[in-house]
Amino acid sequence: MTTKIHFAGLTDAQVLESRAKYGVNVLTPPEKKTLWNRLRDTCFHWISIAMIALTVGTGITAIILLGRMGTAICVMPAIMLIATILIILVGFFGGFKDPLFKILITAFVLSMGISIYEFEWGGAGFSVFFEPIGIIVALLLATGVAFFLERRNEKTFQSLNQVNDDTLVKVIRNNNVCQVPRKEIVVGDIVILETGEEVPADCVLLEALNLLMNESSLTGEPQATKTTKEQDFNKDATYPSNHILKGTTVIEGYCTARVLMVGDKTESGKVFEAAQVNEGAPTPLSRKLNKLANIITKASYWCAAFVIVGRVISYFLFGNHSFEWLDFITYLLNTIMIAVTLIVVAVPEGLPMSVTLSLALSMHKLMKEKTLPRTMHSCETMGAAAVICTDKTGTLTQNQMQVADTMLEDVKPELLEDMIAANTTANLDFADKSHIKAIGNPTEGALLLWLHSRGINYLPIRERVEIIDRLPFSTENKYMATIVQSNVLEKKMLYVKGAPEILLAFSDISTADKASYENTLLAYQRKAMRTLGLAYIELKDGDDFFRDGKLVCNKLHFVGIFAISDPVRLEVPAAIKECIDAGIQVKIVTGDTPGTAMEIGRQIGLWTDNDTDNNLMTGTEFSNMDDDELSKRVQKLKILSRAKPDDKVRLVRLLKAQGLVVAATGDGTNDAPALNAADVGLSMGDGTAVAKEASDMTIQDNSFSTIVNAVMWGRSLYKNIQRFVMFQLTINVVACLIVLIGAFIGTESPLTVTQMLWVNLIMDTFAAIALASLPPTHTVMREKPRQVTDTIINRGMDWNIIGVGGFFTLVLLCVLLIMQHSDITSMKDFLSFHYGYYDGLSRYELSLFFTLFVMLQFWNMFNAKAFMTGKSSFARLSECQGFLFIALVIFVGQILIVEFGGQMFNVTPLHLYDWLTIILLTSLVLVVGEIGRLFCK
């Protein structure tokens, strides 16, 4: 007879000593910068820029004061101080990390220089500072919106991810059983755990009875048998069979264990710490915007150089004057100012704001689609995914064991119900009627769910049954037997459930029937189903079938077999097909057996008859191969079974090394490093806090179809970004060409600073919101994933930008030249103008030109909407209320500016006839676009 061991536990003094030596039982959260730290770092990092700005401002002010006294004494230092503060704020919000923002900072400095020059020496008013101030304000808004939106989402994420370290745990201390908060557990504590409880720290078992653990959060194993008997240890287990780990839960049985490790030293803590290593790779959109920034920078600098060189050459070759140094220096300074103006005009000031708002809008909408992005860029990155490494349990399957098939004898329903209700210890949680959960052993839960599906409530039956004796399930016996006094049958019964092959050996059954059952068992096992047999016998007085903890009987009545599986989610096969059609590789990475993984792969349509061993690997094979060998196989790999956490991380990194954008799913602590290493880490809504902390996005309903929906959103978002990049760059090409050509023909740009601010910052931003508000379309899922090396401007876009921009420039230059050499007081005058001497531009002519310029871009926005769709711009208009509303805002805004903008915008009201004429003529842009799309289908 085994002697019961007495445990005294730690004393209060030993608890304090242990805590001082080994630390507290809390995972150290990643260090996050506070607002104050962020501001402090920004100020220190960019203090040199601030000092340079102030020095330059002071120097310019000193030069001005040497020439004349006046308002400049106060104005110039104030302007430079304000600009410096704004630059620091942009840095605080993270703006200096983005090359586009760096270009705009350069444009701001150059624009400020031009404005100071014109203000002090050109006789211009204070309005010349509107452009540099507008640029820096746009930068501040763009970085501020991104900063605050991501901060808000992070707070939402953290609120969903809170870990309750105050949960009480039963421990033995001071020779008594007491309860202490989980965070106060120390090394050496003796804890007592029962069914349903979570292990508070890494422990070694002291006592255990029929202990079944759910280790899916750490190892991926939903069921792991734990024991103190060395002969029953599983040598292939990831962790020793007598160890239970922090974050795992007790499915069945109970135990007493001594704490070995707490907090960061636990296995969960080690994984959590490894997941904090930042891979630091830029997102696909960031890489493409970086390339665009480089193109814009080089193009603007080359054009500026061309202006300087060309104008200097023309000065000497075509100048009708004798050379004088003073005239040449004045001419050269004017040329440099034109070149600088060209650089400023070439920069799309509204683009960062547009990208930010587009990402923010998609981020907000995705939150309504059961998806919680932590960062704005994760929305777009998901659309670039070429590979999705997915878990099996809970993502592809329902994570709920259910009866898939039965092979039962003809027995009374009351008997079958009695056998299941009385000979199980699991329960059902009815809190959520739409998703009833099994509590306890998942296999037993499947039997109870089967009863529930037939309208039978197990609880009243269980309560009416008197349990006389029971042999609990053990890995050695592989069955559970219960002797009951059944009130329903009014008899004393022995009910047995367990492995069918064991129960068949205890049963009185014919050879033919046994062979039939064995064939059925084999068929179920080929489909990777778990099987459970039921048997019974009516007891008589004096019957003794329990001896030394075992069942002794060979006359059981075998009732039949239940085939149990974790069924595939109904929506997953269609989602997998959509991924395959979209050119996305799907790889199942699971800790389950190869057979089970293949069967799930077959059910969801991933594994086909054409697949071979080259498409399947086990974790052992994977870890035994070097990177060079694996690099040749990973793209063909479809299933990685018996995978360990390190295998998943390695697979993600190998795929990324081949230039693929990788998304990885995970819900357990063991998945955290892989989620962190992936381009997009996708944690599950019911996943562990460690997994969520390492992820970029949380899939709140755990469904693979929601992941595919996020891909569709990401791809649609990228196309919308491409559309407004094309729209904005077309405007910049027109403005640049007008300045560039004007530099050689002596024509200055007729667009004022405030007018260009309306076009570049306000109108473009509204247009970006309009294009970003376009609903996602499933047609994007018919395309292959874009390459990482692709630029954001594709072949069709570049021809569109150059072609449309060139055409608009030609039209506007012709209109400009006619206006400058004739008196235009109405659009009717273009029908009978007289081309005479240069007489400048009247305010009415400037208003006409400004309106023509804006309305050409307005109608081109509708062409941008239809770009890359192959459909009319009027298609799906009923679903584009946001686009139509913003288009109306832009149109009304232009009317208000021209009619009431007055001196600020250098405009005057237009006649109704001119408005109608301009609207009709410029709408030809849309008409031509529609005709082009009609013939290009």
Side-chain angles (χ1 to χ4, degrees), residues 674-866:
L675 296 178
N676 186 54
D679 292 292
V680 186
L682 304 165
S683 60
M684 299 297 112
D686 60 359
T688 65
V690 176
K692 290 178 182 176
E693 185 65 41
S695 66
D696 303 292
M697 192 178 283
T698 297
I699 307 301
Q700 293 175 301
D701 66 349
N702 297 3
S703 176
F704 190 84
S705 63
T706 303
I707 297 173
V708 177
N709 185 62
V711 173
M712 181 190 69
W713 270 91
R715 288 190 174 190
S716 298
L717 168 61
Y718 183 75
K719 285 193 176 294
N720 288 341
I721 291 175
Q722 283 185 305
R723 291 183 181 108
F724 69 70
V725 164
M726 181 184 72
F727 172 77
Q728 283 197 317
L729 291 185
T730 300
I731 294 175
N732 285 89
V733 164
V734 175
C736 284
L737 287 177
I738 289 175
V739 173
L740 182 62
I741 297 171
F744 292 98
I745 66 174
T747 299
E748 294 183 4
S749 175
L751 299 172
T752 66
V753 170
T754 50
Q755 289 173 356
M756 285 306 295
L757 280 176
W758 158 250
V759 172
N760 279 340
L761 294 182
I762 310 302
M763 176 183 166
D764 283 3
T765 301
F766 276 125
I769 296 172
L771 292 169
S773 68
L774 295 176
T777 171
H778 283 279
T779 56
V780 296
M781 298 301 287
R782 300 173 193 161
E783 303 170 8
K784 300 303 178 186
R786 58 183 181 273
Q787 300 296 314
V788 176
T789 54
D790 292 347
T791 59
I792 197 167
I793 300 176
N794 59 32
R795 181 60 61 87
M797 289 173 65
D798 55 13
W799 282 109
N800 198 295
I801 292 168
I802 295 169
V804 174
F807 174 73
F808 286 178
T809 302
L810 181 63
V811 170
L812 291 170
L813 279 176
C814 290
V815 169
L816 181 60
L817 288 172
I818 292 172
M819 285 180 172
Q820 287 176 336
H821 293 83
S822 59
D823 186 20
I824 302 295
T825 60
S826 171
M827 290 297 291
K828 294 178 183 178
D829 294 339
F830 280 98
L831 298 175
S832 58
F833 69 89
H834 175 69
Y835 195 85
Y837 294 103
Y838 177 84
D839 62 352
L841 295 172
S842 67
R843 182 173 287 189
Y844 196 87
E845 288 172 332
L846 286 171
S847 302
L848 286 174
F849 185 88
F850 174 48
T851 304
L852 275 169
F853 181 84
V854 170
M855 293 309 298
L856 283 172
Q857 311 304 334
F858 174 79
W859 293 114
N860 193 43
M861 183 176 70
F862 286 83
N863 286 333
K865 171 187 176 293

Side-chain angles (χ1 to χ4, degrees), residues 399-414:
N399 197 20
Q400 177 88 292
M401 287 293 180
Q402 296 182 24
V403 174
D405 196 10
T406 59
M407 183 180 180
L408 300 174
E409 296 292 325
D410 186 14
V411 296
K412 292 180 179 180
E414 296 83 0

